[in-house]
Amino acid sequence: MNYLAHGHRHLDDPWFVAGTALPDWLAASDRRSRLRPERIRDDGPLARGVQQHVEDDAWFHATEAFQRSEVELTALVKSVHADEPRQRSWFFGHILVELLLDAWLMEQDSTLLDRYFDALDEVAADRVVSQAEPWLTQPPSRLHAFIDLFRTHRFLDGYRTDEGLLARLNGVAGRVGLPTLVPATLPLLSEARRLVYDRAPELLTR
């Protein structure tokens, strides 16, 4: 799951929403500062949001619908990157399911993205960092700045178009040290989008 899929049901509780986003914020900003859920000792909304994220991922990634979608989207990516290691295609197949599920949620509710960021605007980044630090393997050096960047640039809006989605995918590739996807990937994203949109209710049903 990605940001909106984790948080869209909890927009009345901004700190809970921030908790659902925190593991992904850390993955994008401070990969060496790893979250250890077993270190969480409080039951405040930020902590409960993190725990919800962990539970969501455990359920979601184990479903037949996700695993089938991941295989199919991995094959699409590999069809234009046949000379690349399988791991690269699998990585993009995996995150494509999650990003496109967020895009589907935005399509179902045109106000969702604004309401999501309105909720996050209620949260102080410095307090997120101070509350989360005991749960991490080391203090985060870039988390505060990334939260501000995330709220300012609203990267999720790029998922709405195939061109924006390709740019977001290549941004992730750059962060994790993978080669970017070639332009020939772009026509395949429409097929990937249709597949995930058709399957979205199944993907989101527990």
Side-chain angles (χ1 to χ4, degrees), residues 45-116:
L46 187 73
R48 288 187 284 107
V50 171
Q51 291 163 343
Q52 184 67 57
H53 178 113
V54 173
E55 292 172 9
D56 287 344
D57 275 359
W59 163 78
F60 181 70
H61 293 143
T63 64
E64 191 272 339
F66 171 77
Q67 293 173 6
R68 186 168 76 250
S69 301
E70 180 185 54
V71 167
E72 292 172 6
L73 268 60
T74 295
L76 281 179
V77 174
K78 192 167 182 58
S79 70
V80 292
H81 299 87
D83 58 338
E84 293 288 348
R86 180 190 177 282
Q87 180 67 19
R88 178 175 186 249
S89 298
W90 170 85
F91 174 82
F92 287 112
H94 181 103
I95 64 172
L96 260 173
V97 180
E98 300 185 337
L99 304 193
L100 285 169
L101 198 53
D102 272 10
W104 181 84
L105 285 167
M106 285 186 268
E107 189 166 293
Q108 304 311 297
D109 181 353
S110 62
T111 72
L112 177 59
L113 192 65
D114 285 339
R115 291 189 293 113
Y116 180 80

Side-chain angles (χ1 to χ4, degrees), residues 48-201:
R48 288 187 284 107
V50 171
Q51 291 163 343
Q52 184 67 57
H53 178 113
V54 173
E55 292 172 9
D56 287 344
D57 275 359
W59 163 78
F60 181 70
H61 293 143
T63 64
E64 191 272 339
F66 171 77
Q67 293 173 6
R68 186 168 76 250
S69 301
E70 180 185 54
V71 167
E72 292 172 6
L73 268 60
T74 295
L76 281 179
V77 174
K78 192 167 182 58
S79 70
V80 292
H81 299 87
D83 58 338
E84 293 288 348
R86 180 190 177 282
Q87 180 67 19
R88 178 175 186 249
S89 298
W90 170 85
F91 174 82
F92 287 112
H94 181 103
I95 64 172
L96 260 173
V97 180
E98 300 185 337
L99 304 193
L100 285 169
L101 198 53
D102 272 10
W104 181 84
L105 285 167
M106 285 186 268
E107 189 166 293
Q108 304 311 297
D109 181 353
S110 62
T111 72
L112 177 59
L113 192 65
D114 285 339
R115 291 189 293 113
Y116 180 80
F117 281 104
D118 285 346
L120 289 179
D121 283 342
E122 298 295 317
V123 173
D126 58 343
R127 287 183 57 199
V128 172
V129 174
S130 63
Q131 288 189 37
E133 196 164 327
W135 312 334
L136 309 178
T137 55
Q138 66 182 50
S141 60
R142 295 182 293 274
L143 177 59
H144 188 301
F146 184 80
I147 294 172
D148 290 340
L149 186 69
F150 181 83
R151 293 190 290 201
T152 301
H153 288 271
R154 298 192 174 201
F155 303 113
L156 279 61
D157 194 48
Y159 304 165
R160 298 180 192 269
T161 67
D162 294 341
E163 292 80 5
L165 180 62
L166 182 60
R168 298 283 77 78
L169 290 168
N170 281 337
V172 174
R175 287 200 302 271
V176 301
L178 287 175
T180 56
L181 294 169
V182 298
T185 309
L186 185 61
L188 300 179
L189 295 182
S190 294
E191 185 176 350
R193 188 179 299 272
R194 186 184 69 253
L195 185 152
V196 174
Y197 282 20
D198 287 348
R199 204 169 283 165

